Amino acid sequence: MATLPMIYVLNGPNLNLLGTREPHIYGSDTLDDIAGALEDRAKALGLGIDMRQSNHEGHLVDWLQEANARGAKAVILNAGAFTHTSVAIHDAIKGIDVPVIEVHLSNPHSREPFRHHSYITPVARGIVAGFGASGYELALDAAARL
Ligand code: DQA
């Protein structure tokens, strides 16, 4: 059987706490809930997903490089707070051919000023922000159309 086109879904710091972390901002779905919904949607779209989370910046850099080396169709990336700080993740995205879709549960532009700048946006194919957990599914739909 032919292997399915792969979508890497990478999550950065503190997203392991989804469900209990500031639910008024990030909602009550856990990362496992999101992974389950994405698995279902991926199946319907004929895609495979590989969903990961780390609190460590270098892991995200390694996984972006891995997605490229393995020929992933796209990366969906919620870099969490590294969005606003990480030149290393910016450079990693710049250095690979795989399109990266930036996702945020919240709308960072409606929040504190330090969240208004993203190192990811200039090197991302597109952004989905402000739609809570369903933003991951919207990003997957976008990835399927690339
Ligand atoms: C976030 C927004 C970031 O500003 C924040 O640091 C996060 C989560 C979001 O999904 O809304 O950790 O990426």
Side-chain angles (χ1 to χ4, degrees), residues 53-142:
Q53 187 276 332
S54 177
N55 293 328
H56 305 278
E57 188 176 13
H59 288 163
L60 295 170
V61 171
D62 288 344
W63 293 340
L64 284 160
Q65 293 181 7
E66 180 189 309
N68 192 54
R70 298 221 168 134
K73 178 176 168 66
V75 174
I76 293 171
L77 173 65
N78 184 348
F82 292 144
T83 302
H84 317 298
T85 63
S86 181
V87 176
I89 294 174
H90 172 103
D91 283 351
I93 295 169
K94 224 173 174 175
I96 63 176
D97 297 323
V98 185
V100 172
I101 302 174
E102 179 179 358
V103 168
H104 302 284
L105 295 138
S106 67
N107 174 359
H109 292 280
S110 68
R111 300 180 62 196
E112 305 95 319
F114 65 82
R115 296 184 203 277
H116 294 181
H117 178 263
S118 167
Y119 281 96
I120 312 298
T121 303
V123 285
R125 177 65 69 93
I127 314 167
V128 180
F131 298 106
S134 61
Y136 285 82
E137 288 176 70
L138 295 171
L140 192 60
D141 286 349

Side-chain angles (χ1 to χ4, degrees), residues 5-91:
M6 280 304 295
I7 309 293
Y8 275 52
V9 186
L10 305 181
N11 295 279
N14 300 305
L15 293 166
N16 54 314
L17 299 180
L18 280 184
T20 56
R21 175 192 181 202
E22 301 183 274
H24 57 292
I25 296 175
Y26 299 117
S28 54
D29 284 351
T30 65
L31 209 54
D32 280 347
D33 294 334
I34 293 172
L38 278 182
E39 288 283 2
D40 292 346
R41 186 84 196 118
K43 217 171 271 173
L45 292 167
L47 300 170
I49 63 163
D50 188 329
M51 174 118 160
R52 304 178 189 185
Q53 187 276 332
S54 177
N55 293 328
H56 305 278
E57 188 176 13
H59 288 163
L60 295 170
V61 171
D62 288 344
W63 293 340
L64 284 160
Q65 293 181 7
E66 180 189 309
N68 192 54
R70 298 221 168 134
K73 178 176 168 66
V75 174
I76 293 171
L77 173 65
N78 184 348
F82 292 144
T83 302
H84 317 298
T85 63
S86 181
V87 176
I89 294 174
H90 172 103
D91 283 351

